[in-house]
Amino acid sequence: MIEIILTPLIEVFYSKVTEKIIDCYGDRLPFFYNIINKNIYKIGDVRSSIEKINKMTIGTSDLKGIYNCCPKVSYKGNLEIEKSTSDAIEEIKGNSAELTDVFGNDTLGVIVEDDIMWQSDPIDIDYKSTDFYTIKAIRKNGTLPHIISGCVLVVCVDEKKIVLHKRSSNSATYPNAIHIFGGAFIGKGQDNYRESEGDEDVTRTIQRELHEESRLDIQKERIEKCKISIAEELTTGFLQVTALGLNITKKELEKIRTAPASNNKEGKTMIIGFDDIEKTITGGMFVPTGAAHIILWLGLGAPGTPRKSKFSGKSAQELFSDIVSQKISFPKAFNVI
């Protein structure tokens, strides 16, 4: 009985004390602020934010939740394919126009379970490996396989910038659209064509994709400090595991600025200011899951940034409210499947 009475009182006291410390010292002690900030998310507020975002992106993106770490992925062998899929693979191999995708024929991880416990932290995901040609063949036959991917929202607090990715016109999904950095988890095992060691975990996927698309070499430990959001891309089948608010230095931002565009066949980087976030997201060219992750980051108070950071003169939560109240159009997921 005493515990029932005291627990909510202690929670209120803790919340008020931490908020007071942040208000007084957050801007002068950003690292201290970030440690505290991880502990003051209210579960109800997070759920409410996710519901608002999912309503805005209905039919294109479905946010699952916020987590402290990436899912644990377990290899369960190679994906079995039907004869119709095998026939479609041979058709793809015989059509040189379909072999020009920038991803080549990587080995990917396809989720093989329908009853993932989204309430767990970390969640557990079983996958089977297959190659990208098989994925294209399955899509041609009318099914969207659920593919694991790793993404990251990159922020430079010192410059008040976020770094985005303009996808190539050759991208299999959302060509020419704006997105956060990321790509498919590379599965291990023998696929239909070759042996693959694969990514040891999804954090490695995020690290690798960030390097491929921005030329940054970021230690896994820095990624692991970020909050993780997970969203299902309903239009393509990707399950996006995203590190929210990876803060980079001015020097690292300059490295992105000066990286030769010709070295990146997957697209090009876009650096925008905090004040340009709203018009970029609402401009009709953003991948819906990428927009969802950024909007959720704002709804959480833009973790990784000082508490009093402004976005077009608004707080992060105020900008969140403005964006989710709008009707936003999104680009097509595929030119052709």
Side-chain angles (χ1 to χ4, degrees), residues 24 33 58 66 95 125 145 154 181 191 203 215 237:
C24 293
Y33 158 68
I58 189 167
I66 291 289
N95 184 354
I125 296 178
V154 176
F181 294 109
D191 63 19
T203 305
R215 298 296 178 248

Side-chain angles (χ1 to χ4, degrees), residues 87-201:
D87 294 341
I89 292 171
E90 293 304 314
E91 182 182 342
I92 290 170
K93 291 169 64 179
N95 184 354
S96 59
E98 293 203 47
L99 304 183
T100 59
D101 187 270
V102 295
F103 299 108
N105 194 33
D106 288 335
T107 303
L108 310 180
V110 177
I111 299 170
V112 294
E113 54 187 329
D114 296 323
D115 56 346
I116 295 174
M117 300 295 293
W118 298 111
Q119 298 83 2
S120 302
D121 191 359
I123 62 175
D124 295 303
I125 296 178
D126 294 338
Y127 78 91
K128 291 188 177 182
S129 291
T130 193
D131 60 272
F132 185 61
Y133 293 171
T134 301
I135 295 296
K136 295 190 77 167
I138 294 172
R139 286 173 176 167
K140 276 182 172 290
N141 288 335
T143 301
L144 295 176
H146 294 148
I147 306 165
I148 304 168
S149 66
C151 303
V152 56
L153 170 58
V154 176
V155 180
C156 181
V157 171
D158 290 340
E159 294 286 333
K160 297 182 180 179
K161 306 286 187 184
I162 66 171
V163 190
L164 304 172
H165 189 239
K166 178 74 159 46
R167 293 170 65 78
S168 164
S169 60
N170 292 322
S171 295
T173 61
Y174 289 104
N176 297 311
I178 302 169
H179 202 4
I180 54 179
F181 294 109
F185 168 83
I186 302 300
K188 69 178 179 178
Q190 177 68 49
D191 63 19
N192 294 324
Y193 298 95
R194 63 180 181 225
E195 192 73 25
S196 171
E197 291 297 325
D199 295 333
E200 63 265 26
D201 52 35

